[in-house]
Amino acid sequence: MQMKNSNDKAGFLGGVTASVTHELQNVLAIIKETSGLMEDFLLMNQAGGMPDLDERLGKCLETIKKQSYRGVTLTSRLNGFAHTSDSPQSTINIFETLQKMISITDRLFKQKGIDVSIIPCDTPYSIITDAILFQMIAFSCIECLIDAFQANTAIILAIQSSESQAAIQLLCNNRDLNHMDYRQKIIQTHHWEKINALCEQLGLKADISTDIPALLIFFK
Amino acid sequence: MNSQRINILLIDDEIEFISTLAERLELRGYASTIASDGESGISLVAKKSFDVAILDLMMPGLNGLDTLRQIKTIDTSLPVILLTGHGSTKDGMEGMRMGAFDFLMKPLDINELLEKIKLAIKEPAKE
């Protein structure tokens, strides 16, 4: 089990890292092309003069500045994500952890035409858990909903609570399906078994909502 | 910076990247048209004639390989140069098996791209 966990974790970390570094390649590609364009302008100016050189160079610098900020945001997110594996057990704020997971996997899901978002939560729920496995559960739930309900959809995460229990709800915006249909679709995906196995390891419980196409991960 | 008015179609969801690249190609005498997703690129290929297309592999919605497949059904002779941000050549090679002329890694070297464009318009496209 430990070996399988390590492989699964490595796969998850690798997938997320590949997506972010791919986006960083785009940032660098823009910076490289823009600085190349500045070089072109300077050469043209030397050759015969460019009346609007300052304005053009100014626009290029703006682009480089904007892309540099984008790059810094990406590396900060990636660094924060990498540090979640520092210790096997840690106290995590559920909302913050999910929010960070969404921001770093955003591009992966957008490639599939899916928008993933989270509704802000006022209550600072925390649990002591394996932060990577916890994020893998949420990630697998999103993939499960995508596979079950196909692309061109939105998935919304929310933390719901009552006096006796609290859960992460992962809701798919496809509300046309009846309970039996969407339950069947979710169970048929290969993710469902994995979600349950991961939840069992962390002492959490996975369920399927009875009123809307949503997955529930109970943590209290 | 002189060359014939070769028509180049650039397809990439990174607008700042393709618009800058388009401007650099224009400065070198090429005519460039940009499309920010696979669907728009395919629709442009159906309406207009291009000498070469430059296509990013990783795009939201219709991805690069699916876009390439559809472009090839409309215009089998259009040479397509793929762009990839991946560290590996796997997707680029897959694209070439599907009929792409060649592939390049991002960030680009403009001179390398210009060489590929020149080669692409000389050689008949693979089918």
Side-chain angles (χ1 to χ4, degrees):
Chain A
M1 177 65 88
Q2 200 168 6
M3 178 62 95
K4 189 173 181 322
N5 258 351
S6 302
N7 288 342
D8 284 351
K9 275 186 182 179
F12 176 63
L13 292 168
V16 171
T17 307
S19 163
V20 178
T21 50
H22 181 269
E23 197 172 348
L24 274 170
Q25 294 279 64
N26 276 324
V27 170
L28 294 172
I30 296 169
I31 292 173
K32 190 168 180 211
E33 282 317 309
T34 309
S35 55
L37 183 62
M38 291 171 83
E39 224 171 353
D40 291 347
F41 290 157
L42 291 170
L43 284 172
M44 286 171 72
N45 190 49
Q46 278 171 17
M50 269 188 92
D52 52 355
L53 180 69
D54 287 352
E55 193 188 328
R56 285 182 175 220
L57 290 179
K59 274 187 187 165
C60 289
L61 284 172
E62 269 306 305
T63 301
I64 290 174
K65 199 157 84 177
K66 199 171 93 184
Q67 292 301 323
S68 304
Y69 282 124
R70 182 181 168 199
V72 168
T73 306
L74 286 168
T75 49
S76 303
R77 282 178 187 168
L78 189 59
N79 188 262
F81 178 72
H83 280 296
T84 52
S85 63
D86 284 351
S87 52
Q89 294 275 309
S90 56
T91 304
I92 59 158
N93 176 305
I94 290 178
F95 173 74
E96 280 178 17
T97 306
L98 291 172
Q99 194 179 34
K100 281 180 189 167
M101 191 275 291
I102 290 170
S103 69
I104 203 155
T105 54
D106 185 53
R107 187 177 170 90
L108 269 177
F109 294 119
K110 283 218 163 71
Q111 294 293 331
K112 298 179 180 179
I114 313 289
D115 271 320
V116 181
S117 58
I118 184 164
I119 296 171
C121 172
D122 295 333
T123 315
Y125 288 110
S126 292
I127 53 170
I128 298 169
T129 192
D130 180 324
I132 293 286
L133 287 185
F134 178 81
Q135 290 178 86
M136 279 168 67
I137 292 173
F139 187 83
S140 297
C141 287
I142 296 168
E143 285 198 309
C144 176
L145 292 173
I146 293 170
D147 282 4
F149 304 113
Q150 305 306 315
N152 300 319
T153 188
I155 292 167
I156 300 158
L157 279 69
I159 296 170
Q160 294 192 331
S161 61
S162 64
E163 270 185 27
S164 57
Q165 54 187 13
I168 303 157
Q169 183 196 55
L170 297 103
L171 163 75
C172 178
N173 70 347
N174 189 338
R175 289 168 181 264
D176 300 333
L177 296 162
N178 67 47
H179 178 232
M180 283 311 289
D181 280 348
Y182 68 71
R183 187 177 174 81
Q184 216 34 47
K185 279 176 183 281
I186 289 170
I187 290 171
Q188 277 169 359
T189 68
H190 69 277
H191 303 287
W192 180 239
E193 197 180 330
K194 183 181 169 184
I195 292 164
N196 280 289
L198 287 169
C199 280
E200 200 177 320
Q201 281 185 66
L202 298 190
L204 309 174
K205 186 178 174 291
D207 205 351
I208 299 167
S209 166
T210 53
D211 51 354
I212 42 172
L215 286 171
L216 296 163
I217 304 296
F218 289 94
F219 57 88
K220 181 184 153 192
Chain B
M1 294 190 184
N2 281 329
S3 65
Q4 294 174 331
R5 285 296 276 182
I6 303 290
N7 278 309
I8 302 176
L9 172 63
L10 299 148
I11 312 169
D12 194 329
D13 63 307
E14 290 284 347
I15 290 295
E16 283 190 316
F17 173 72
I18 42 166
S19 54
T20 309
L21 185 57
E23 196 167 354
R24 296 194 79 194
L25 291 170
E26 292 274 346
L27 290 175
R28 285 158 176 80
Y30 294 93
S32 318
T33 306
I34 60 174
S36 62
D37 55 54
E39 287 88 352
S40 326
I42 291 162
S43 138
L44 280 164
V45 171
K47 282 183 216 153
K48 263 182 84 175
S49 173
F50 295 98
D51 298 297
V52 62
I54 296 166
L55 167 66
D56 186 42
L57 277 169
M58 195 95 158
M59 292 185 293
L62 203 61
N63 68 37
L65 290 180
D66 288 338
T67 305
L68 171 67
R69 191 175 293 117
Q70 293 198 38
I71 284 176
K72 285 289 172 184
T73 61
I74 300 168
D75 185 351
T76 49
S77 65
L78 177 65
V80 179
I81 298 168
L82 301 171
L83 302 180
T84 172
H86 283 304
S88 85
T89 56
K90 194 177 142 232
D91 287 346
M93 297 300 285
E94 174 63 19
M96 285 182 75
R97 271 193 292 274
M98 289 169 58
F101 174 75
D102 209 338
F103 67 93
L104 287 170
M105 301 275 195
K106 277 184 181 175
L108 287 179
D109 178 321
I110 187 89
N111 292 321
E112 201 183 345
L113 175 66
L114 293 172
E115 280 305 310
K116 297 275 185 211
I117 291 171
K118 281 173 193 160
L119 284 172
I121 51 181
K122 267 186 209 162
E123 271 187 32
K126 289 169 268 178
E127 288 179 27

